[in-house]
Amino acid sequence: MIRAGRTKAGDFIYLVGAPEGSLGATRYQQAKDGKPLGKTVAPDAEAEKAFRDRALKTAQRQLANSGRVVAGGGLASALANEAIASGMGMDIELAPRGGVEALLFSEGGARAVYAVSPEKAAEFEAAWSGFPCVKAGRAGGDKFSWRGILTLPLEELAKAFTEEK
């Protein structure tokens, strides 16, 4: 089993699955528009099976220090939650293909983020061969930084996620 919240300094941060899903009916879209609008990503049984098979292989071989599904709140939420839970900053370099909102907050499809030690990176990439897999950044320091988009001290990020509004 690979648990979330165990990212270590120096780990590579990988995104497996499509970088962008759909903004339709997402938490972000509902917060922005006040009600659910649009369409979600259509289910893809083959992609889900391919994802599951590779995730099981990753866990069985202990190829990652930490893993977290990308779900409600999208990629930004998954990465921020991982950084907070691990107490570890991140420098994310993944650039948007479409808009910044889609990269950060889209949902849907089989997606996860993994923290992988450099020594296991080649074996991790081999395990995910044939499925979308991209090195999104590196863990370390006390800031959560997404190149060209935002930089926040980890303490400030944690506060934003835990304080009631």
Side-chain angles (χ1 to χ4, degrees):
M1 177 187 317
I2 296 177
R3 297 177 190 255
R6 297 189 176 184
T7 297
K8 296 177 173 56
D11 281 354
F12 292 123
I13 306 300
Y14 283 90
L15 167 64
V16 297
E20 298 172 12
S22 169
L23 286 171
T26 61
R27 288 182 182 175
Y28 172 77
Q29 182 273 317
Q30 288 181 41
K32 183 177 174 184
D33 298 318
K35 61 184 174 182
L37 298 170
K39 294 182 179 184
T40 60
V41 173
D44 182 340
E46 287 183 33
E48 294 285 343
K49 182 183 180 321
F51 174 87
R52 185 181 64 245
D53 292 347
R54 287 165 176 82
L56 285 170
K57 187 185 296 186
T58 298
Q60 290 165 345
R61 295 182 184 171
Q62 290 295 294
L63 299 179
N65 291 324
S66 193
R68 184 177 295 267
V69 69
V70 177
L75 183 57
S77 181
L79 289 169
N81 278 309
E82 182 60 28
I84 293 164
S86 299
M88 184 60 52
M90 293 183 181
D91 182 23
I92 304 301
E93 300 172 357
L94 195 60
R97 291 180 180 172
V100 172
E101 289 176 318
L103 176 63
L104 298 179
F105 306 116
S106 65
E107 299 173 14
R111 303 190 295 162
V113 291
Y114 285 99
V116 178
S117 65
E119 302 81 40
K120 293 187 177 182
E123 191 177 355
F124 177 85
E125 290 176 12
W128 286 91
S129 178
F131 196 85
C133 176
V134 63
K135 194 182 295 178
R138 195 114 194 221
D142 61 357
K143 289 183 174 52
F144 182 86
S145 177
W146 201 313
R147 193 157 299 159
I149 298 172
L150 66 92
T151 299
L152 287 171
L154 196 54
E155 184 178 302
E156 193 175 318
L157 182 67
K159 220 173 164 181
F161 267 71
T162 57
E163 284 187 353
E164 290 186 33
K165 304 253 186 285

